[in-house]
Amino acid sequence: MTDLTVVILTKNEEKNLRKCVESFRGVAKRFVIVDSFSTDGTKKLCEKLNNELNEIGSRLDFYQNKWVSYADQLNWGLEKTNITTVWSMRMDADEEIMEDLAKEIQEKLPKVKSPVNGIILRRRVYFMGRWIKHGGRYPELLLRIFRTGMATCEMKVMDEHMILAEGTTVEFKHDLIDNNQKDLEWWTSKHNWYSNREVLDHQMTLKNEMDKSLEQDGTSSGQAKMKRMVKNGGYYRLPKFFRAHLYFFYRYYIKLGFLDGPEGKIFHFLQAYWYRFLVDAKIYECEKKGIKMKPQGDLKA
């Protein structure tokens, strides 16, 4: 079993959590669940999973902490739950690792030597059961595994990445997947919630109030840094509303999103057009009223 602790944030994740934990297939020594007071069966499921994990020499510890932001919650989990393993890993409850990645972690991670302190993983997104392979969505390269104490989540309202305090990274070959089991109503509600965070993040970025550790030579994935530069230095310089049209055209036609079938058509339209148009509408509303977007609590799942 790998000397690894997996930190997972939850809020009403009864439908997703089991497949996330079970995908590790005995690879991780410990799981840390940081829950923002779920109202479904998440806590009871965690108790059951812990009993099952104990049988194979692993364990799951359940904590609850009041939600402030994703970054605050994740950093709290990394700092306050007595992680003693050599390696830590960030996972979302709706993610899972593929069998090939589980084997790769088990075989390669114990052999990683200093100065390598971070592992970049490839993520693929599923939507309505279909792998979204096109539209520039695959692979997403993310810093997800790191030596304990060597990385923190940047303090941003939206689009937070892990940043290494020191050292270098290597990339593993196989995938983790984002495969949420909740319905389209939940997905659109989540993106409406995201849009408020996106507007606040943009407002704070314009006023230089946002964490710039990634932009200022912070060590994460190169792809994450490039996307941030393109969004803040390119996308947001285009006219409001028109940029949502342009982004959808780029994703669906130039980057071949139409090859992802009907599920891809729904995904690329909602994620690249509807969501971005909604963000612009809320930016417009805030500018018209001369107000700042109010921070929001956790998603009411």
Side-chain angles (χ1 to χ4, degrees), residues 175-274:
D175 293 358
L176 68 86
I177 64 175
D178 178 332
N179 188 17
N180 201 296
Q181 300 299 299
K182 297 177 183 178
D183 60 20
L184 188 58
E185 182 177 358
W186 176 88
W187 191 97
T188 52
S189 295
K190 182 180 78 167
H191 280 73
N192 183 40
W193 177 67
Y194 275 169
S195 68
N196 285 8
R197 295 171 61 193
E198 186 91 42
V199 173
L200 179 59
D201 181 275
H202 178 59
Q203 291 174 332
M204 294 176 71
T205 298
L206 290 177
K207 293 182 178 181
N208 294 315
E209 297 174 348
M210 193 55 67
D211 185 347
K212 293 186 177 181
S213 52
L214 179 63
E215 292 89 339
Q216 295 171 347
D217 298 323
T219 302
S220 190
S221 81
Q223 185 191 71
K225 185 177 294 188
M226 180 59 67
K227 284 184 176 181
R228 180 77 53 77
M229 290 173 59
V230 169
K231 183 169 79 170
N232 291 331
Y235 179 82
Y236 276 124
R237 292 180 183 272
L238 296 170
K240 283 188 288 291
F241 306 115
F242 170 72
R243 57 198 179 201
H245 288 272
L246 192 62
Y247 185 47
F248 172 71
F249 184 86
Y250 170 76
R251 283 262 300 267
Y252 194 67
Y253 296 104
I254 305 300
K255 299 298 287 184
L256 308 181
F258 62 87
L259 294 178
D260 290 323
E263 296 87 357
K265 186 173 186 178
I266 296 167
F267 177 82
H268 292 297
F269 179 82
L270 290 178
Q271 209 265 345
Y273 186 87
W274 171 79

Side-chain angles (χ1 to χ4, degrees), residues 105-117:
I105 291 171
Q106 196 164 29
E107 293 171 1
K108 290 184 178 180
L109 197 59
K111 300 175 184 177
V112 175
K113 305 296 182 185
S114 184
V116 176
N117 289 330

